[in-house]
DNA sequence: GTAAAATCTTAACCTGGTTCAATATCTTTC
DNA sequence: GAAAGATATTGAACCAGGTTAAGATTTTAC
């Protein structure tokens, strides 16, 4: 199993010793993903946090009318997964789908709990991880309030370089909270500039 | 200093022993607040996390045109403060203002770092705290995308019972991301039902 | 206790973004 | 490589929510 990406990610916050790397390694499950594959399906309780070793995925939920709403993209070096479902053990409302071939590391809830109990360094890592995610999300909320759809689109392209090639326009529109038709108009307008 | 609220909050996640409570207690600074008082002013680096012992506060940022945008309310038992400014040591863009008389506990950054180093239990507490805040914020993002202003207003009233009496309509409107005029229309419509 | 300031309401008009429907393009699949 | 299905574009009608401005009500300050 290729541990390079995750270990260097974790080491940017805390510094793991050999034993901790080994413990982490034996907790993780590597999984190759194919383009279009459903990694997590809504309706069952989430069992893993998902770390991207390579490739792109998106997480979305499907409303009562059957429309998908994309709430997150993730690429190499990012975590994904439904924290709420994981911790409360309720069925997740989100599905996660591969947008390209790649590899993910699955981190089962039980193994995570064990690791957290045994090695306080992981407590610290996840504290900082959640802390940072929280800051980013706060920023996104502000952005959503104050910015227009066009500028949100531009900032999507900045924040997820390369992602646009892998995602259909309708999913980008969904992530931005607008209709595909309107995104189409925005792109046309931007080209003319 | 009244430690009841904060200790019982923390004990709902981890279980503090006497020494830990003592250490926490000596790290905190109690401050009485008056209605309308500015607790944190934007422009200076944030130095504290803020725990509400009693009363109500709101956090907002002021844009280039001078308009305030409310991003958070907090009442008894909630944390407030700018995590980004605290951790990156940059000037905060948010101001925090008391909406009623009350009491806050200020938790200085340096003291927090010390506590985290010495007592892993606090790592765990903050890991869970941030984790939960993250879940709530994810939910709020979905809500903002899919729900109409009217239903966001209704869900504001549910989530912050009693808050409406302390906050001016224009600040509620700001929190909901709409104009005060439009909130006025919504309220009128709801009354007629 | 009254004047000034702030907040709230109402109404007419405006705009960013949606809906629907028709056409065009790109992908699959056999 | 043709047919079918998905995805993207365009345009017209429409709607949620914004803007502006004026009046009504409440709060604040002296």
């Amino acid at each position: 199993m290729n541990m390079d990406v995750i270990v260097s990610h974790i080491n940017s916050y805390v510094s793991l010793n050999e034993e901790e790397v080994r413990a982490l390694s034996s907790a993780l499950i590597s999984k190759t993903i194919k383009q279009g594959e459903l990694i997590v399906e809504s309706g069952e309780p989430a069992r893993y946090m998902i770390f991207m070793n390579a490739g792109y995925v998106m997480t979305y939920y499907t409303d009562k009318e059957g429309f998908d709403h994309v709430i997150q993209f993730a690429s190499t070096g990012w975590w994904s997964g439904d924290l709420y479902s994981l911790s409360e053990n309720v069925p997740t409302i989100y599905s996660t789908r591969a947008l390209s071939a790649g590899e993910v590391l699955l981190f089962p809830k039980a193994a995570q709990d064990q690791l957290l109990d045994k090695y306080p360094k992981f407590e610290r890592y996840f504290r900082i991880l959640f802390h940072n995610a929280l800051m980013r999300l706060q920023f996104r909320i502000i952005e959503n309030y104050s910015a227009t759809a066009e500028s949100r689109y531009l900032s999507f392209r900045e924040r997820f370089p390369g992602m646009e090639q892998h995602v259909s326009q309708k999913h980008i529109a969904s992530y931005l909270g607008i209709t595909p038709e309107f995104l189409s108009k925005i792109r046309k307008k931007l080209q003319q500039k």
Side-chain angles (χ1 to χ4, degrees), chain A residues 2-185:
Chain A
N2 176 7
M3 297 285 293
D4 293 353
V5 184
I6 193 167
V7 168
S8 86
H9 185 257
I10 297 180
N11 275 337
S12 71
Y13 297 117
V14 297
S15 166
L16 297 181
N17 61 34
E18 274 185 39
E19 184 192 345
E20 287 155 343
V21 172
R22 220 172 316 124
L24 176 65
S25 169
S26 69
L28 294 171
I29 300 162
S30 163
K31 180 168 165 34
T32 309
I33 56 174
K34 281 181 282 198
Q35 177 168 10
E37 181 181 350
L38 249 191
I39 300 168
V40 176
E41 187 158 14
S42 67
E44 31 185 291
R47 285 173 303 169
Y48 314 104
M49 285 186 67
I50 299 167
F51 184 84
M52 299 299 303
N53 236 352
Y56 298 90
V57 304
M58 68 173 185
T59 300
Y60 58 96
Y61 85 103
T62 307
D63 66 23
K64 311 112 210 163
E65 283 97 35
F67 295 109
D68 292 346
H69 300 260
V70 176
I71 61 150
Q72 200 201 47
F73 294 111
S75 58
T76 308
W78 293 55
W79 284 99
S80 177
D82 180 356
L83 297 176
Y84 182 68
S85 171
L86 265 178
S87 73
E88 305 297 316
N89 215 42
V90 295
T92 178
I93 59 168
Y94 306 119
S95 301
T96 299
R97 189 180 290 276
L99 295 167
S100 72
E103 185 192 7
V104 295
L105 301 176
L106 303 177
F107 192 20
K109 176 70 163 54
Q112 187 191 8
D113 286 344
Q114 273 179 16
L115 230 61
L116 286 170
D117 274 340
K118 197 156 175 196
Y119 305 103
K121 229 177 261 173
F122 285 101
E123 287 282 5
R124 170 162 296 196
Y125 168 68
F126 281 108
R127 181 207 16 116
I128 299 173
L129 185 72
F130 292 146
H131 174 266
N132 290 349
L134 191 56
M135 294 191 311
R136 227 177 298 117
L137 216 55
Q138 261 174 2
F139 182 76
R140 191 171 156 204
I141 287 210
I142 293 183
E143 192 178 42
N144 285 173
Y145 277 142
S146 49
T148 168
E150 180 176 327
S151 80
R152 271 183 282 146
Y153 170 60
L154 292 172
S155 109
F156 157 80
R157 293 207 300 197
E158 267 181 40
R159 188 143 46 189
F160 298 96
M163 184 70 77
E164 204 167 5
Q165 281 71 39
H166 297 281
V167 193
S168 69
Q169 213 137 293
K170 84 176 192 186
H171 288 136
I172 297 174
S174 171
Y175 175 79
L176 296 174
I178 59 177
T179 57
E181 290 91 337
F182 191 58
L183 179 52
S184 194
K185 282 172 203 173

